[in-house]
Amino acid sequence: MQILEQRFLRGPNVHADSPCLLSVIDLQDLYGRSSKDLPGFNEALLQALPSLHGQLLPSGQRGGFAQRLREGTYLGRVIEQVTLDLQTLAGSPASYGRTRPVIGQPGQFRIVVAYQSEKLVQPAFELAVDLVTALAHGEAFDLAPHLDELRSIAARYAIGTSTAAVLAAAHERGIPTQRITEDANLFLLGWGAKQKRLQATTTGDTSFIAVKIASDKQLTKALLEEAGVPVPEGSVVTKVEEAQRAAARLKAPCTVKPLDGNQGKGVTVDCRTPEDVARAFAFAREYGRKIIVERHVEGRDYRVLVACGEVAAASCRRPAHVVGDGVSTVRALVERENENPARGAGHTNILTRIALDDHAADMLRKQGFEFDSVLPVGVVAELRGNANLSTGGTAEDVTDLLPESTRLLCVRAAAKIGLDVAGIDIVCRDIALPLDVQRGAVIEVNAAPGIRMHQYPSSGDARDAGDAIVQGLMGDSDGRIPTIAVTGTNGKTTTTLLIAHTVRMAGKVTGVTTTEGVFIDGKQVAKGDCTGYWSARTVLGSPDVEFAVLETARGGILKRGLAFDRCDVGVVLNIAADHLGLDGVDTVEDLAQVKAVIAQSASKVAVLNAADPLCVAMSRRVKPEAEVVYFSMDPENPVFLQHLEDGGRGVYLQDNAVVVADGHLHQELVRVESMPVAFGGRARFNIANSLAAAAALMASGFSNLQIATGLSTFVSNGRTNPLRTNMFDIRGVTVIVDYAHNPAAYKAMAEMARALLPGQLVGIVTAPGDRRDEDLLEVGRVCGERFDELVVYESQSRGREIGEAVDLILEGAEEAAGISDTLHRVIEVGEAIRHGLSLCRPGDVLVFACGSSLQVFVDALRVNDPESADLVAGQV
């Protein structure tokens, strides 16, 4: 077997609403053989992966993949299921998969599998291919070490427990989240101007200075003392002798810890002798150069979580410990406790495994035990001097016990340090009593506090600390900015720019993606065809954008999926033959399935073309809570009329006016002759684009006046909308430069050009070479029927021999025109432009289509007519 292609579909896509890995494989010698045809295969696979039995019902009825194997299924499907199973076994569950043959390529299959981690799914798929290939050929395969490697990858890139809790709370509120990279636990919550950043429980609002203060325990104590918060007295030392003198001055048991430590690392409590202090000092020096020696506060260890000025939760923490059973050693008890599924390494699980190290040995020694001591029944042996969960501690929720004075004290402590999210560590005998009556004290203020003790306490009520952080960070906002996505075969760029122009005129900072680039508030920040995942992500990730308008092309949806989980308004303009035979899209119906992803993603309104049956069919796939708004060039369109009769909204053209219909109220927005983009009503395709834009703007809450103002002031020229019906006068010849490249676009362009002047119509046309033969022939037929003179040039051969696409277009044109005298084969684009102009006389109209840029046209002109070239360049 061979993997031919792989790509990550990171957002909603034609296969699923969730992220997927798409792979194309070639089964090679295993093509045509099902699982039941391979001796011993099913038994070997089920032995290697017993979890594939999972869905099989006890009654033996169909329902499990094991049953499918026995009945016989093709190996592409087997690889799909094995990939899903391997991810689940590695600790990253995934359940959705889909496998389809590649049409026209026997033995090749497209396999789609869902994933949670990009870093895991690819090696899991490769392992699935290797495993199935080996077992299908009767070869042994040792899966265990490979599965261990997958588990290691899953753990390496796993999201921490605290971060996961905050993200879960964000998802519950409908806030979009995005991991910046797979290598970092840094996330964006929300889009554009409403976005916030998050790393564990540190937010984008967390002060850098506050974090620095919190990491300096002595400075923290000084500030807290100034604020009237009780703290233990003590001092900072750098030598063991200084530590022993400082402890002696306290005349009480002391705590020794690193000045800038965290997670309880290097902390020793209840040091009573110079020897205790020396050992504690050496332990603390492993984690920091400067050491704090302070009065040991008697009592239990509590953590209070403060989030944005409110106490969110409180826990009583107990140090890592084991309870004797009269039989087992301390070592055996710890090993048994570490087998608890709730315990994991570091912060990857609800609890952390207990370490048997020198500090644990020292703690046991103080209690009269060793690792190999057998603890009597019920006797508790503590293994840590601190109660942090990160060192194996456990927690009990005590939020409801906090007196008001302690709540206010904790909020004041967080505010004094300057932290929006803080963990306040308190030691006292009874948290239900005010601190001042029991000599309790705040011993630390922690930036980026862990919240798993509150989310998953060992006892007591669970507190949604993640939601408290999200509430403080986002308030009641869902973090979303208004977003309109535009797709279709033709007219996407113009419609996108019409919408964006109107939004900007209404005073919103817009982020726009088009085939020309990415624009933020009217300024270009990226150049090129920017209609896919990464460009949309650029806009949604820009912190100044208040409104996003995203041109979304077929290629972007197929290559990476959408960059957003949903948009407010999804616009589908039309569906026509283009790009067929590529990426599994072989028919116009297949293409409609791709474009329908935008209609399905609309959370509020889907704007659809009432005249296009494939668009109309998408109405059945729109979310139940979303509204359908139709636009129509024909006011008598039966679909449109029925929609209005049913109380729906729409935008239509009637008597050369754009009319909006809201229930039974019909209002004229703007006359066609007032819209520059309509070219006096001749550019009917741009009128249709304007109707769609008006519908999207209406759906987004813009007023009729705002929409009319936008439509009547948008000018489509070489500056605002390059290669979209850009019109120039070249010595009396009207030249239209447009990106038309498919039959539907050529029909529309020829219709508009023919209406301009009474002279002859000359076309300079082409189409990319990756189109099917029948599509290139159809381009030729359409152009041959509609242009008086036709020049065909080579644009992008894309795998064909130079001139092959040109000849197919000419063949179709000759078939339609019936003569060849008016057909001209000129391969080089500059020569084609000059030849086309030579065929024109004043009063004629020339259409130059499918050019890569306006500069190509300017350069071609400059050879023979530099004056006209300068004229055009000045308008670009």
Side-chain angles (χ1 to χ4, degrees):
M1 277 185 240
Q2 183 180 5
I3 300 173
L4 304 177
E5 177 188 349
Q6 283 189 314
R7 67 177 71 147
F8 292 108
L9 304 175
R10 294 186 169 94
N13 55 78
V14 74
H15 305 286
D17 291 335
S18 55
C20 298
L21 173 70
L22 183 149
S23 306
V24 179
I25 66 166
D26 190 336
L27 296 182
Q28 297 178 328
D29 62 311
L30 294 172
Y31 175 53
R33 306 184 69 185
S34 78
S35 53
K36 68 177 182 180
D37 299 328
L38 300 167
F41 174 78
N42 292 342
E43 293 76 11
L45 182 61
L46 292 171
Q47 183 177 357
L49 291 171
S51 45
L52 289 175
H53 283 284
Q55 296 178 353
L56 187 60
L57 301 176
S59 62
Q61 296 174 332
R62 295 183 183 182
F65 189 67
Q67 184 69 29
R68 290 257 187 110
L69 285 171
R70 296 186 184 99
E71 292 171 350
T73 187
Y74 50 90
L75 296 188
R77 173 78 168 147
V78 175
I79 291 170
E80 167 205 311
Q81 287 297 307
V82 170
T83 303
L84 295 171
D85 199 49
L86 290 173
Q87 290 183 88
T88 300
L89 291 173
S92 184
S95 59
Y96 174 78
R98 179 181 181 183
T99 301
R100 296 289 185 273
V102 177
I103 295 176
Q105 300 293 332
Q108 293 185 17
F109 290 83
R110 283 189 181 85
I111 302 176
V112 174
V113 290
Y115 67 84
Q116 293 187 47
S117 169
E118 286 190 4
K119 296 290 187 179
L120 175 67
V121 64
Q122 216 162 17
F125 187 89
E126 293 170 0
L127 177 56
V129 170
D130 291 343
L131 173 64
V132 172
T133 301
L135 298 184
H137 288 98
E139 300 169 3
F141 193 95
D142 186 2
L143 181 61
H146 300 283
L147 193 52
D148 287 343
E149 177 60 24
L150 288 185
R151 291 189 175 112
S152 175
I153 293 170
R156 193 181 317 146
Y157 296 102
I159 298 171
T161 309
S162 293
T163 307
V166 180
L167 294 177
H171 291 157
E172 185 68 24
R173 290 167 172 254
I175 298 169
T177 64
Q178 175 185 298
R179 193 172 190 172
I180 303 301
T181 72
E182 287 286 308
D183 301 297
N185 271 335
L186 180 62
F187 289 83
L188 276 186
L189 273 60
W191 294 334
K194 293 187 177 180
Q195 68 180 269
K196 297 288 186 177
R197 289 179 182 162
L198 176 81
Q199 188 168 41
T201 59
T202 302
T203 76
D205 295 343
T206 302
S207 163
F208 175 76
I209 291 177
V211 173
K212 295 291 285 184
I213 292 172
S215 67
D216 185 327
K217 292 178 173 54
Q218 191 65 11
L219 178 56
T220 296
K221 285 172 60 178
L223 289 172
L224 293 180
E225 193 170 19
E226 182 180 273
V229 176
V231 294
E233 60 271 23
S235 54
V236 179
V237 300
T238 57
K239 297 179 181 178
V240 65
E241 296 82 7
E242 295 174 343
Q244 290 169 327
R245 286 195 293 271
R249 285 195 298 272
L250 292 173
K251 297 179 181 180
C254 65
T255 294
V256 180
K257 58 188 178 182
L259 177 69
D260 55 356
N262 57 40
Q263 298 178 356
K265 295 174 182 175
V267 178
T268 306
V269 299
D270 197 20
C271 298
R272 296 176 178 270
T273 68
E275 292 75 22
D276 288 345
V277 173
R279 282 193 296 271
F281 181 88
F283 180 52
R285 280 298 294 266
E286 295 178 14
Y287 299 95
R289 189 173 62 86
K290 295 182 179 180
I291 308 301
I292 287 184
V293 179
E294 63 186 20
R295 174 178 62 88
H296 173 60
V297 182
E298 292 288 343
R300 304 179 73 181
D301 188 299
Y302 297 92
R303 163 65 64 82
V304 178
L305 177 70
V306 175
C308 302
E310 300 283 345
V311 169
S315 294
C316 177
R317 300 186 296 179
R318 184 166 184 181
H321 66 280
V322 289
V323 180
D325 60 5
V327 178
S328 305
T329 64
V330 171
R331 189 188 307 276
L333 290 170
V334 169
E335 290 174 355
R336 189 181 305 157
E337 176 59 26
N338 282 341
E339 291 174 358
N340 181 349
R343 292 193 181 271
H347 297 265
T348 60
N349 218 329
I350 297 171
L351 298 173
T352 299
R353 293 192 185 101
I354 301 171
L356 289 179
D357 53 14
D358 291 343
H359 185 62
D362 189 46
M363 286 294 300
L364 285 171
R365 194 177 301 114
K366 289 181 180 180
Q367 301 165 78
F369 302 122
E370 296 179 347
F371 290 150
D372 293 324
S373 299
V374 174
L375 293 183
V377 176
V379 171
V380 176
E382 294 192 343
L383 297 154
R384 272 294 181 277
N386 63 77
N388 295 63
L389 263 67
S390 57
T391 57
T394 56
E396 173 190 358
D397 178 72
V398 295
T399 307
D400 293 336
L401 299 179
L402 285 184
E404 186 63 21
S405 61
T406 303
R407 289 175 178 269
L408 293 174
L409 181 148
C410 291
V411 170
R412 190 164 72 252
K416 184 66 177 179
I417 303 306
L419 290 169
D420 60 328
V421 180
I424 313 297
D425 288 348
I426 296 174
V427 176
C428 64
R429 290 187 177 87
D430 185 354
I431 197 64
L433 300 176
L435 296 188
D436 57 1
V437 303
Q438 54 180 323
R439 289 204 75 194
V442 172
I443 60 170
E444 283 188 29
V445 176
N446 298 273
I451 59 174
R452 54 184 174 154
M453 72 184 75
H454 308 301
Q455 295 281 151
Y456 313 104
S458 301
S459 60
D461 294 334
R463 306 288 173 168
D464 197 343
D467 187 70
I469 292 173
V470 172
Q471 175 63 33
L473 190 61
M474 308 295 293
D476 294 329
S477 169
D478 64 3
R480 296 175 185 270
I481 58 174
T483 302
I484 299 175
V486 181
T487 195
T489 302
N490 296 310
K492 296 185 295 295
T493 300
T494 299
T495 304
T496 297
L497 293 176
L498 271 165
I499 295 169
H501 169 76
T502 306
V503 174
R504 282 196 72 207
M505 290 199 69
K508 300 289 186 181
V509 176
T510 58
V512 184
T513 63
T514 73
T515 51
E516 294 300 313
V518 177
F519 301 84
I520 306 295
D521 201 23
K523 300 177 180 65
Q524 190 169 39
V525 299
K527 194 171 184 178
D529 187 347
C530 297
T531 56
Y533 174 88
W534 291 109
S535 303
R537 182 164 159 170
T538 296
V539 166
L540 296 174
S542 297
D544 47 350
V545 171
E546 298 172 331
F547 201 111
V549 189
L550 309 173
E551 180 181 346
T552 309
R554 169 209 64 92
I557 298 172
L558 288 171
K559 287 184 174 67
R560 290 287 178 265
L562 302 181
F564 45 89
D565 59 337
R566 65 178 190 258
C567 56
D568 293 289
V569 179
V571 181
V572 186
L573 297 170
N574 45 61
I575 308 294
D578 197 12
H579 300 278
L580 301 183
L582 302 172
D583 299 310
V585 178
D586 300 301
T587 66
V588 177
E589 289 73 22
D590 290 341
L591 185 58
Q593 293 292 317
V594 178
K595 305 288 187 180
V597 172
I598 292 297
Q600 291 173 281
S601 75
S603 62
K604 294 180 179 177
V605 176
V607 174
L608 304 175
N609 186 346
D612 190 321
L614 290 171
C615 288
V616 173
M618 293 178 193
S619 64
R620 295 191 293 271
R621 300 173 60 179
V622 173
K623 289 182 172 68
E625 65 273 17
E627 176 190 6
V628 172
V629 173
Y630 282 114
F631 67 94
S632 176
M633 291 285 285
D634 177 10
E636 302 301 321
N637 177 283
V639 170
F640 188 77
L641 289 176
Q642 185 62 55
H643 180 69
L644 295 185
E645 187 175 327
D646 293 339
R649 294 193 292 171
V651 180
Y652 63 97
L653 180 70
Q654 185 167 45
D655 299 329
N656 255 18
V658 176
V659 181
V660 296
D662 186 354
H664 298 293
L665 181 63
H666 295 241
Q667 295 176 286
E668 181 178 308
L669 271 183
V670 63
R671 302 287 302 172
V672 165
E673 53 267 27
S674 298
M675 300 190 308
V677 75
F679 292 98
R682 298 178 182 88
R684 291 186 61 80
F685 51 89
N686 273 348
I687 298 174
N689 294 336
S690 300
L691 297 178
L697 290 161
M698 177 179 71
S700 300
F702 289 89
S703 69
N704 287 356
L705 179 59
Q706 288 173 319
I707 300 170
T709 301
L711 295 182
S712 60
T713 55
F714 177 75
V715 177
S716 180
N717 58 30
R719 289 194 183 94
T720 62
N721 195 11
L723 297 179
R724 269 72 184 177
T725 324
N726 304 151
M727 200 172 297
F728 308 97
D729 186 309
I730 307 297
R731 302 189 183 281
V733 176
T734 299
V735 175
I736 303 172
V737 181
D738 193 88
Y739 190 61
H741 61 280
N742 58 55
Y746 277 123
K747 286 178 185 176
M749 186 53 54
E751 178 186 343
M752 180 254 187
R754 181 68 73 182
L756 285 175
L757 291 169
Q760 73 167 348
L761 181 59
V762 178
I764 305 171
V765 305
T766 191
D770 59 357
R771 299 325 193 246
R772 302 175 305 175
D773 288 2
E774 54 263 44
D775 298 325
L776 295 171
L777 288 166
E778 182 61 18
V779 166
R781 292 187 194 102
V782 167
C783 293
E785 287 177 355
R786 289 164 175 79
F787 290 96
D788 300 314
E789 296 277 355
L790 191 65
V791 181
V792 185
Y793 71 96
E794 179 81 18
S795 60
Q796 302 169 69
S797 56
R798 295 184 181 176
R800 292 183 183 267
E801 294 292 328
I802 298 295
E804 183 181 346
V806 172
D807 293 337
L808 284 166
I809 294 172
L810 285 169
E811 181 182 336
E814 185 172 357
E815 177 186 325
I819 57 173
S820 60
D821 293 348
T822 59
L823 307 179
H824 309 269
R825 184 182 192 271
V826 183
I827 296 296
E828 199 274 321
V829 61
E831 291 182 14
I833 292 169
R834 290 188 290 274
H835 185 68
L837 282 168
S838 74
L839 298 173
C840 294
R841 298 293 179 266
D844 290 348
V845 178
L846 171 72
V847 173
F848 168 49
C850 199
S852 58
S853 70
L854 281 169
Q855 190 60 46
V856 170
F857 183 67
V858 172
D859 292 343
L861 274 180
R862 197 172 298 282
V863 174
N864 296 330
D865 190 355
E867 183 179 343
S868 293
D870 290 339
L871 179 67
V872 173
Q875 300 176 52
V876 175

